[in-house]
Amino acid sequence: MLDGQKVLFSGIQATGRLTLGNYLGALRNWVKLSDEYMCFYCVVDEHSITVRQDPATLRKRSRDLLTLYIAAGLDPKKNCLYYQSHVSAHAELAWILNCFTYMGEMNRMTQFKDKSAKHEDNINVGLFAYPVLMAADILLYQTDVVPVGLDQKQHLEITRDIAERFNNIYGDVFTIPDAYFGKVGARIMSLQDPLHKMSKSDENPNASIYLTDTPDDIMRKCKKAVTDSLAQIRYSEEQPGIRNLIDIYSACTDKTPEETVREFENAGYGQFKEAVGESVVSVLKPLQDEMKRLSGEKDYINSIIKENAEKAAYYSSKTLRKVHRRIGFPDRIR
Ligand code: ATP
Ligand code: LTN
């Protein structure tokens, strides 16, 4: 809680091109939840450098991502939209929490295992300690709820473990946050390999729908989506490709998977894929138009970046000060 309000925190990395998975699994839920909480939506640029980044590209992507938050419908006057690197408390608290986290715990993180297999030439300490920085992001704002995709479940669990450990030693300092997973769309799978999640770092361009894809690209990718030869539209584990398309269609049209199955009971795969493509286009087109409009509003975006960084710095410094005091760091002389 902050100022008597429940708090929501979430973030997306400014790496790669965002996919439909990021939108349906994360961003869209953020908009739905934004009325109920005091919200902090961060562009986690410090997380991005756990993998090598080109400076100009990172800067541009961070800006685009913040703009996308607004384009997706998050009101920057009500929600705090900001860059992680503008608020030094994130890195400071991460250091402290590093000292309350065990190597064995970090070693078990599946994202670390996956990413270190992908980047064998650069398995850096930051990549290893990445979940601790994420815990710091969340705990700094006394967060109650963290809406994320299912791939982040383990990171949320470790955040709670670290917070509980710290509270057990120093008294109630941190709120223990809960994860929030959307009902549909929490795990959108690759269109080419429906057993793996749709990812912005996938090398096969047909595997992911990017938020910047044209309607033609989207229709083509949906038509090419890998399915099966069972010729029936059912929501079952045995048909991961069809199941994924049902999830996408349901998420884009705000229906339940059961409703979607009923709607396409007698349809062929071709017809269904076409409908899936159209549902995605109808969700992404307004987003793309708004992005285009906002990219011309330079001064407006700059003022939001400045105001919101100040707001985030204000709230996070309160928690950090409390942590310093409890740990035994000397008071500042003013
Ligand atoms: P990468 O693929 O490079 O690991 P990513 O696509 O997972 O990156 P993140 O910045 O790590 O991107 O994720 C941002 C948010 O989007 C997180 O809340 C994450 O859970 C969610 N998300 C990412 N991919 C999917 C997906 N396929 N389905 C649902 N949610 C997703
Ligand atoms: N680790 C997350 C991104 C992330 C995040 C956060 C999400 C960093 N800090 C705090 C929620 C809350 C990811 O890779 N998707």
Side-chain angles (χ1 to χ4, degrees):
M1 297 268 261
L2 285 179
D3 294 348
Q5 258 188 299
K6 288 213 161 201
V7 178
L8 179 157
F9 185 98
S10 200
I12 299 183
Q13 292 195 62
T15 42
R17 290 185 291 165
L18 287 214
T19 70
L20 184 67
N22 297 126
Y23 182 68
L24 297 179
L27 254 180
R28 217 174 57 130
N29 291 326
W30 296 5
V31 179
K32 288 186 180 164
L33 292 166
S34 66
D35 283 340
E36 290 171 51
Y37 296 90
M38 182 192 284
C39 299
F40 295 84
Y41 294 115
C42 187
V43 171
V44 289
D45 50 359
E46 290 175 331
H47 278 93
S48 305
I49 62 162
T50 51
V51 172
R52 286 282 173 271
Q53 303 292 337
D54 168 63
T57 312
L58 177 61
R59 198 169 293 121
K60 172 156 190 338
R61 282 190 174 146
S62 301
R63 175 104 181 176
D64 286 350
L65 184 53
L66 196 121
T67 310
L68 180 73
Y69 287 2
I70 307 171
L74 294 169
D75 179 350
K77 295 283 172 199
K78 285 201 227 141
N79 303 286
C80 189
L81 315 177
Y82 71 103
Y83 298 124
Q84 188 181 32
S85 62
H86 283 190
V87 181
S88 57
H90 288 252
E92 290 179 61
L93 182 62
W95 169 255
I96 293 171
L97 297 182
N98 274 329
C99 304
F100 294 85
T101 308
Y102 298 110
M103 300 287 284
E105 289 176 310
M106 292 294 99
N107 255 327
R108 287 199 296 273
M109 295 291 121
T110 50
Q111 183 171 311
F112 171 68
K113 287 186 209 161
D114 290 352
K115 292 219 167 168
S116 45
K118 259 193 212 162
H119 303 277
E120 264 181 340
D121 53 336
N122 182 20
I123 306 179
N124 59 71
V125 176
L127 189 65
F128 185 68
Y130 174 114
V132 183
L133 179 58
M134 178 161 164
D137 298 341
I138 296 167
L139 300 177
L140 268 178
Y141 298 91
Q142 305 298 343
T143 302
D144 296 280
V145 65
V146 186
V148 277
L150 273 173
D151 59 321
Q152 295 302 310
K153 192 165 180 258
Q154 208 183 19
H155 290 163
L156 253 295
E157 282 161 5
I158 196 77
T159 299
R160 290 166 62 94
D161 290 347
I162 296 171
E164 275 165 9
R165 184 171 305 145
F166 195 94
N167 284 354
N168 280 337
I169 305 173
Y170 297 107
D172 276 346
V173 175
F174 298 124
T175 303
I176 309 297
D178 284 315
Y180 172 96
F181 306 113
K183 283 194 195 67
V184 261
R187 197 165 163 77
I188 301 297
M189 310 308 276
S190 155
L191 295 179
Q192 291 298 311
D193 175 5
L195 295 176
H196 287 100
K197 77 162 190 168
M198 184 180 285
S199 157
K200 47 189 174 188
S201 37
D202 203 309
E203 272 154 28
N204 182 346
N206 288 325
S208 306
I209 295 178
Y210 298 106
L211 298 188
T212 48
D213 277 352
T214 62
D216 284 350
D217 290 335
I218 295 170
M219 294 306 290
R220 182 176 42 80
K221 289 181 186 181
C222 286
K223 282 181 194 156
K224 277 198 177 159
V226 169
T227 50
D228 51 60
S229 52
L230 295 175
Q232 55 185 10
I233 295 173
R234 279 205 330 211
Y235 197 65
S236 101
E237 300 279 338
E238 289 149 37
Q239 293 179 267
I242 286 293
R243 189 186 158 99
N244 188 37
L245 293 178
I246 294 174
D247 276 335
I248 294 176
Y249 182 83
S250 306
C252 288
T253 56
D254 262 331
K255 290 180 180 153
T256 63
E258 294 72 32
E259 285 169 334
T260 300
V261 168
R262 231 173 293 134
E263 186 176 340
F264 292 96
E265 229 165 15
N266 300 314
Y269 284 3
Q271 188 190 344
F272 180 49
K273 285 177 169 181
E274 182 119 8
V276 174
E278 281 163 7
S279 73
V280 174
V281 172
S282 71
V283 164
L284 295 191
K285 181 74 174 50
L287 193 69
Q288 293 173 350
D289 292 347
E290 188 59 5
M291 275 297 280
K292 215 173 277 160
R293 189 187 72 75
L294 283 168
S295 58
E297 304 268 341
K298 223 173 151 201
D299 292 345
Y300 169 67
I301 304 272
N302 284 348
S303 71
I304 284 168
I305 291 173
K306 181 167 181 291
E307 270 169 37
N308 282 330
E310 285 164 6
K311 182 174 169 188
Y314 170 77
Y315 285 109
S316 57
S317 69
K318 282 187 170 188
T319 302
L320 190 64
R321 216 173 308 129
K322 196 167 173 188
V323 168
H324 279 194
R325 238 182 257 133
R326 297 282 177 104
I327 285 184
F329 289 166
D331 286 337
R332 280 174 207 250
I333 313 290
R334 291 180 197 279

